[in-house]
Amino acid sequence: MAGKRGFFTFCCLLVFRLMTVAQVQLPVYPDSLFSTYYQQRVSHFKTLPKTTDDIIFLGNSITDGAEWSELFGDSRIKNRGISGDISAGVIARLPEIAGRRPAKVFLLIGVNDLSRNTSPDSVVKNIGLISNYLHEQTPATQVYVQSILPVNKIYNKFGIHTNKSARIIEVNQRLESAADKNHYTYINIHDAFRGKDGLLRPELTNDGLHLKGEGYLVWKHLLYPYVFDLGSKPSLLPLPQSLKWLPGFFPFYKCNSVIADKELANEANIIQQLLKLNGASAIGHDSIGNKLYIELKLTKLKVPRLADEAYHLQVSENCVKIIANTAHGIFNGIQTLIQLLRDNVILDACDITDWPAFAWRGYMVDVGRNYQSVEQLKQQINMMALYKLNTFHFHVTEDIAWRLAIKQYPELTLPKNMTRDKGRFYSVDEVKELQRFCRERHIEFIPEIDMPGHSAAFKRAFHCDMQSDTGMRILKNIIREVCETYKPAYLHIGGDEVKISNAGFLPEICRTVEQYGVKTIGWSPGGNVPQNTIRQLWMKEGPVDKKTKYIDSRHMYLNHMDPLESVTTLFYRMIGDVSAGNNNVSGGEICLWNDRAVNREEDLLTMNPVYPAMLAFAERSWRGGGRPGWTANIISADTSALNSFKEFENRLLDQKEQSFKGLPFPYYRQCNLVWRFYGPYNNGGDREAKFKPETDAFLKDSASFVATGGTLILRHWWYPLVNGLIVHPKENSTWYASAKIWCDTEGYKNFWIGFNNLSRSYATDTPDPGTWDSKGSALWVNGNMIKPPLFKFAGSKGNLESPLIDEGYEYRQPARIYLNRGWNNILVKLPVAGFTGKDSNNPVKWMFTFLPF
């Protein structure tokens, strides 16, 4: 009996294996069915390098006729079109396609089948067979089935093809209906090529079947979001206040005319450069006849608030019009136009009316501690402009170094008076160049001379304190030179984190600045600045004086933020505790204070979430709104709040793909990762103590709560000012978090994993060898414990002059973890002892990051 049971089990396993391995059987066709050209192409394809993760365009002569990789500017795209091919020909060469494990397949086939009088039903069944085979053989491959294009008899060519319009429509309808069942995404490209008569538009073809160059540009526009995993329409950021998508599109590639008011020469030049980049040679300035044109015009535009930056953008099939009250408003409209022009070919028709919620939308860079080249600063300013930030705050003096050239006092920038990046400073010409660069982009350039604090470099140069009589005399000369040389609208005078020994210092400094017609800004909490000085909030203090203007930078320091947390907290943030600017709150400013030394200036953008945070802040400061309080995690209990974040995250990632290729952008999708939390378990001070989630492989207990995200903060180091997931966190407790991750194919995948995102402003210690952190955190995937990274300087004491190397997940090599095909189980252990760090440089961050990408 035992032998029979074993044999029976063996047979069942064999049948099961055969069923799972050979679900889809491909028919075998004789070679005589296919042309000589077909066989030439197939033999050529087989000899090409066996690369994986490509994007394959598969089809007949219509696909064969394009230079797809050049059209899309992407070498991953491979043309596998064969002139004259039919669905059977695609089936016959399908194993070679599947063997390459492509990332995507774009299939267009069927018109030649119909010309041979193959029934629509048979065409649809063959296409379903193709998709199902690819789904089985290479499940990670995304299959896109495109509708058959319309045809036209007008040229009296390809008569057996161009008389099949009715059957083409029937096949397309069936393909759309069968998409889900056959594991493909259906793309309707037919309608965009169809004229009012339902036939292929004559201007896109010269034979009624195949496409001319313009036809391929239209095709590119339709496929662009699918090729690059983007939204079906351009993902504008910040989202305009009013946006209506309209039918039709404007063929930007055919336009060569710009009409602009004479006051808009700078803005007209931006449009002209865009047109030239897209092939326009001679740029005209009229709209005679049917000529396509772009118009920039100053006029009266009524909006609810901040009319100086508002604009109205209208895209139709014949023209693009941007109107505004000021050149700044026109410029903002152009930035939206640039985002609309994501494929550099076509603009979707739309109507946009837009204005900002806050007048002050700023970004501050501390170049006193870590010098940045003018080129890298310009890169950041360019991104500010694209996303409509309008204030560049240049913090240029510090204890470490004074980096602003002062002609009267060259000793300030001598290498011996700097303790880091010695000899690196900004000349008058470089600062003026940055000013010009900002001015062209309608960005206010605001220098900061920090006084009387953060001034050790000043003291090294002059051997006196700023608050002394000698120090004040020198500072007044410096202020005169800065104000007369650069003529800024504002000068930030710092004024915080220092003992004021001379009560008259800050009032006198502010009066000196203001006598040159320059407004002053000071940090708050800070010193005794006059009431008319704008306060930049950096701590708990909020707007209390109705006669004072404020800029909000509280909990907006990027150097303290985990990359994933930064997007979350800034997205939900209510700037200045108001939904829109008012007489007290002008707006807000994100700040990059990287106290710790870096090896390369690029590390400032890699180790800090500058660009993802900049975009989240751009959205909130332009749109307004937000939620009261400071949020560290994705809000998943409120469906509306979760959905709004998901929608924003889609646009954020589209912008990452569109505008940040080759630039540091430490952010990946996190809102699809759902965690179940179990606890709290009292560990009695024993962080290694094991509890049920760790010992019971089939845990059936109800979760204490559910949360969403890639970074989860249980207790923020600024609790209770910033709340984490645990409402009432307790010392000597352990929590567990579990999640499931689906994987289409087994193999090693990349992960971000971390348990203590180090601030770039503290001298935090590196975890001891063999540990993730000092709390005893642990992680298992499918029951296998994941080892911590081999930190290069494990167990070393933090030092601000020792650059970070691999301590953060976002700037070390990603963890490589083997996943099974199907669902994979994740378990995270999160013990904690106390909430008081051993010193101020080592705060307790009760958090973890786990994110596949």
Side-chain angles (χ1 to χ4, degrees):
M1 286 294 291
K4 289 182 178 180
R5 281 199 301 270
F7 179 75
F8 178 77
T9 301
F10 170 79
C11 290
C12 288
L13 289 172
L14 180 61
V15 170
F16 177 76
R17 180 171 177 79
L18 289 172
M19 287 174 64
T20 55
V21 172
Q23 292 282 331
V24 179
Q25 297 291 333
L26 297 181
V28 178
Y29 302 102
D31 288 345
S32 59
L33 184 65
F34 308 117
S35 69
T36 302
Y37 178 72
Y38 172 93
Q39 294 177 15
Q40 291 167 352
R41 291 283 282 172
V42 169
S43 68
H44 176 50
F45 296 152
K46 289 179 178 178
T47 62
L48 294 175
K50 296 293 189 292
T51 54
T52 58
D53 294 321
D54 287 329
I55 300 172
I56 291 180
F57 278 60
L58 185 58
N60 51 37
S61 58
I62 304 173
T63 297
D64 194 356
E67 302 299 336
W68 294 107
S69 61
E70 291 182 65
L71 191 62
F72 282 92
D74 195 321
S75 60
R76 296 174 302 162
I77 300 177
K78 304 296 192 296
N79 191 336
R80 292 299 182 266
I82 299 180
S83 181
D85 205 2
I86 56 178
S87 57
V90 173
I91 291 171
R93 56 194 177 102
L94 206 52
E96 194 273 335
I97 297 291
R100 292 177 174 274
R101 300 289 189 266
K104 300 180 181 182
V105 170
F106 288 87
L107 174 66
L108 175 58
I109 201 70
V111 71
N112 291 327
D113 294 73
L114 296 178
S115 75
R116 299 183 182 193
N117 293 318
T118 303
S119 70
D121 182 62
S122 295
V123 174
V124 172
K125 284 182 178 178
N126 279 354
I127 290 174
L129 178 66
I130 292 167
S131 179
N132 285 321
Y133 180 82
L134 288 171
H135 177 71
E136 179 187 282
Q137 296 297 317
T138 173
T141 300
Q142 300 177 59
V143 179
Y144 299 90
V145 173
Q146 302 165 81
S147 60
I148 301 176
L149 291 171
V151 291
N152 198 322
K153 297 179 181 179
I154 189 173
Y155 296 105
N156 295 317
K157 296 180 180 180
F158 294 98
I160 61 173
H161 294 77
T162 57
N163 66 356
K164 297 297 189 299
S165 291
R167 290 198 164 194
I168 287 173
I169 291 173
E170 182 180 351
V171 169
N172 289 342
Q173 290 173 342
R174 291 187 178 211
L175 287 174
E176 185 173 14
S177 299
D180 290 341
K181 179 179 69 175
N182 291 307
H183 306 103
Y184 62 76
T185 299
Y186 175 76
I187 307 176
N188 178 9
I189 61 173
H190 178 278
D191 291 355
F193 285 87
R194 183 182 61 186
K196 294 180 179 179
D197 58 3
L199 303 177
L200 180 60
R201 288 157 50 192
E203 71 272 18
L204 301 180
T205 181
N206 59 3
D207 62 13
L209 176 64
H210 300 95
L211 300 178
K212 297 194 301 184
E214 287 187 15
Y216 284 108
L217 292 178
V218 174
W219 199 352
K220 172 189 177 180
H221 178 70
L222 299 172
L223 295 189
Y224 195 87
Y226 299 97
V227 169
F228 295 113
D229 295 314
L230 306 174
S232 58
K233 295 291 187 182
S235 296
L236 304 180
L237 198 157
L239 185 68
Q241 304 286 0
S242 173
L243 166 63
K244 297 177 183 176
W245 295 110
L246 303 173
F249 51 76
F250 177 79
F252 192 85
Y253 64 90
K254 294 170 68 174
C255 180
N256 63 357
S257 184
V258 182
I259 305 168
D261 291 347
K262 62 181 180 180
E263 301 93 335
L264 301 174
N266 177 60
E267 288 65 38
N269 182 61
I270 297 172
I271 298 294
Q272 290 171 9
Q273 295 306 312
L274 280 175
L275 291 171
K276 288 178 181 178
L277 284 172
N278 285 276
S281 50
I283 306 297
H285 301 282
D286 60 63
S287 58
I288 298 173
N290 295 321
K291 180 179 287 188
L292 301 165
Y293 66 95
I294 298 172
E295 182 177 13
L296 311 178
K297 187 174 182 61
L298 296 174
T299 187
K300 288 281 187 179
L301 177 63
K302 292 185 178 180
V303 293
R305 57 187 305 108
L306 298 173
D308 282 357
E309 289 199 66
Y311 66 92
H312 178 230
L313 167 61
Q314 190 172 44
V315 178
S316 67
E317 294 185 349
N318 301 312
C319 66
V320 175
K321 294 184 178 181
I322 304 177
I323 65 171
N325 297 301
T326 66
H328 194 171
I330 295 290
F331 181 84
N332 287 336
I334 291 172
Q335 303 317 300
T336 299
L337 177 67
I338 290 170
Q339 292 187 31
L340 286 170
L341 190 63
R342 59 181 179 177
D343 60 16
N344 296 313
V345 173
I346 285 171
L347 296 167
D348 289 301
C350 61
D351 190 285
I352 295 171
T353 303
D354 205 9
W355 63 91
F358 290 93
W360 193 290
R361 307 180 303 282
Y363 170 53
M364 190 223 77
V365 177
D366 169 17
V367 293
R369 291 179 173 89
N370 287 288
Y371 175 88
Q372 291 193 55
S373 66
V374 170
E375 289 71 25
Q376 181 158 299
L377 293 172
K378 283 183 173 181
Q379 177 199 120
Q380 293 162 79
I381 293 167
N382 259 332
M383 290 307 176
M384 290 176 63
L386 180 59
Y387 299 102
K388 302 183 179 70
L389 298 188
N390 63 1
T391 305
F392 181 66
H393 178 171
F394 194 50
H395 182 91
V396 75
T397 69
E398 259 302 332
D399 287 333
I400 285 171
W402 180 293
R403 302 199 190 276
L404 179 66
I406 302 296
K407 290 181 179 179
Q408 188 173 348
Y409 301 112
E411 57 266 48
L412 279 168
T413 50
L414 290 176
K416 69 177 183 178
N417 291 324
M418 301 179 179
T419 61
R420 188 188 297 168
D421 297 335
K422 295 187 175 185
R424 307 299 299 273
F425 65 93
Y426 302 93
S427 67
V428 171
D429 287 344
E430 286 175 322
V431 176
K432 285 188 172 182
E433 171 60 17
L434 284 173
Q435 273 191 306
R436 180 200 64 79
F437 198 76
C438 286
R439 187 165 50 248
E440 286 183 351
R441 290 154 181 78
H442 296 275
I443 292 173
E444 194 72 59
F445 180 86
I446 299 178
E448 178 181 355
I449 299 175
D450 210 339
M451 43 191 164
H454 298 266
S455 56
F458 178 95
K459 188 174 291 187
R460 286 193 294 272
F462 298 114
H463 308 290
C464 69
D465 188 273
M466 282 184 171
Q467 298 185 69
S468 67
D469 291 342
T470 301
M472 288 189 68
R473 177 179 55 77
I474 294 170
L475 280 174
K476 287 182 178 182
N477 290 335
I478 291 172
I479 290 167
R480 182 189 71 249
E481 182 173 322
V482 168
C483 291
E484 291 179 349
T485 301
Y486 304 112
K487 297 178 173 59
Y490 303 87
L491 180 66
H492 203 301
I493 51 86
D496 69 325
E497 296 186 321
V498 65
K499 181 178 179 181
I500 300 295
S501 58
N502 179 353
F505 176 84
L506 283 170
E508 180 63 21
I509 288 296
C510 289
R511 280 193 294 271
T512 302
V513 172
E514 288 159 6
Q515 76 182 25
Y516 296 100
V518 178
K519 298 176 185 177
T520 55
I521 307 170
W523 293 105
S524 182
N528 57 324
V529 294
Q531 189 177 66
N532 63 340
T533 293
I534 299 169
R535 267 71 160 189
Q536 185 165 359
L537 303 172
W538 66 278
M539 280 283 279
K540 301 176 187 178
E541 180 179 285
V544 290
D545 189 338
K546 296 298 182 182
K547 297 180 181 179
T548 302
K549 284 189 177 294
Y550 296 88
I551 304 162
D552 192 3
S553 289
R554 297 168 301 169
H555 195 37
M556 295 190 192
Y557 284 12
L558 307 186
N559 42 292
H560 287 319
M561 289 185 177
D562 171 277
L564 302 174
E565 173 205 358
S566 72
V567 170
T568 301
T569 194
L570 290 171
F571 173 76
Y572 287 122
R573 184 63 186 273
M574 181 177 278
I575 296 171
D577 305 317
V578 295
S579 60
N582 56 36
N583 290 334
N584 277 121
V585 181
S586 298
E589 201 171 278
I590 53 173
C591 303
L592 179 60
W593 301 103
N594 203 113
D595 291 73
R596 197 154 181 164
V598 295
N599 280 322
R600 307 172 307 152
E601 66 172 353
E602 295 88 346
D603 290 345
L604 296 166
L605 305 180
T606 302
M607 296 179 175
N608 298 284
V610 171
Y611 288 137
M614 181 183 288
L615 269 60
F617 176 72
E619 173 85 0
R620 184 55 61 222
S621 60
W622 183 273
R623 293 281 300 176
R627 299 170 68 95
W630 299 352
T631 303
N633 297 287
I634 295 173
I635 299 173
S636 54
D638 182 332
T639 302
S640 176
L642 176 60
N643 288 340
S644 66
F645 182 82
K646 286 182 177 180
E647 189 277 335
F648 169 73
E649 188 178 60
N650 287 337
R651 287 186 286 119
L652 176 75
L653 291 172
D654 279 10
Q655 291 298 325
K656 175 183 179 180
E657 172 67 30
Q658 287 293 110
S659 302
F660 292 90
K661 290 180 179 177
L663 298 179
F665 199 100
Y667 190 87
Y668 292 94
R669 187 181 305 282
Q670 60 167 328
C671 67
N672 293 337
L673 194 54
V674 178
W675 297 89
R676 298 175 65 82
F677 281 81
Y678 301 89
Y681 299 93
N682 187 341
N683 62 38
D686 180 5
R687 292 172 298 184
E688 296 183 1
K690 297 181 180 181
F691 302 97
K692 190 174 182 181
E694 190 175 344
T695 58
D696 186 352
F698 302 98
L699 180 67
K700 296 180 180 178
D701 289 1
S702 297
S704 301
F705 63 87
V706 176
T708 298
T711 286
L712 289 302
I713 297 174
L714 281 67
R715 182 189 183 276
H716 203 281
W717 56 341
W718 285 324
Y719 173 87
L721 188 62
V722 183
N723 288 319
L725 292 171
I726 310 300
V727 178
H728 300 295
K730 298 177 181 178
E731 295 185 334
N732 297 319
S733 59
T734 298
W735 282 82
Y736 292 87
S738 69
K740 290 182 177 292
I741 295 178
W742 176 267
C743 191
D744 287 320
T745 57
E746 64 180 354
Y748 284 95
K749 311 297 179 184
N750 289 331
F751 287 84
W752 271 352
I753 303 175
F755 289 89
N756 181 20
N757 185 259
L758 273 63
S759 167
R760 280 67 64 190
S761 288
Y762 293 160
T764 311
D765 301 342
T766 304
D768 289 334
T771 68
W772 286 102
D773 60 8
S774 60
K775 299 186 297 294
S777 302
L779 167 70
W780 295 266
V781 176
N782 294 325
N784 299 312
M785 179 176 277
I786 305 303
K787 294 181 179 180
L790 300 174
F791 296 109
K792 187 172 182 180
F793 296 110
S796 62
K797 185 173 176 56
N799 184 333
L800 288 180
E801 296 308 312
S802 298
L804 296 171
I805 303 295
D806 58 4
E807 292 83 354
Y809 66 79
E810 68 272 34
Y811 48 89
R812 64 171 173 256
Q813 288 296 312
R816 298 280 290 168
I817 300 176
Y818 191 89
L819 296 186
N820 300 323
R821 181 178 178 181
W823 288 107
N824 295 265
N825 297 310
I826 317 300
L827 181 66
V828 182
K829 181 178 182 179
L830 301 159
V832 71
F835 294 132
T836 303
K838 66 179 184 180
D839 56 41
S840 61
N841 283 307
N842 290 273
V844 176
K845 284 188 172 183
W846 201 13
M847 61 177 288
F848 75 94
T849 298
F850 183 88
L851 188 69
F853 65 96

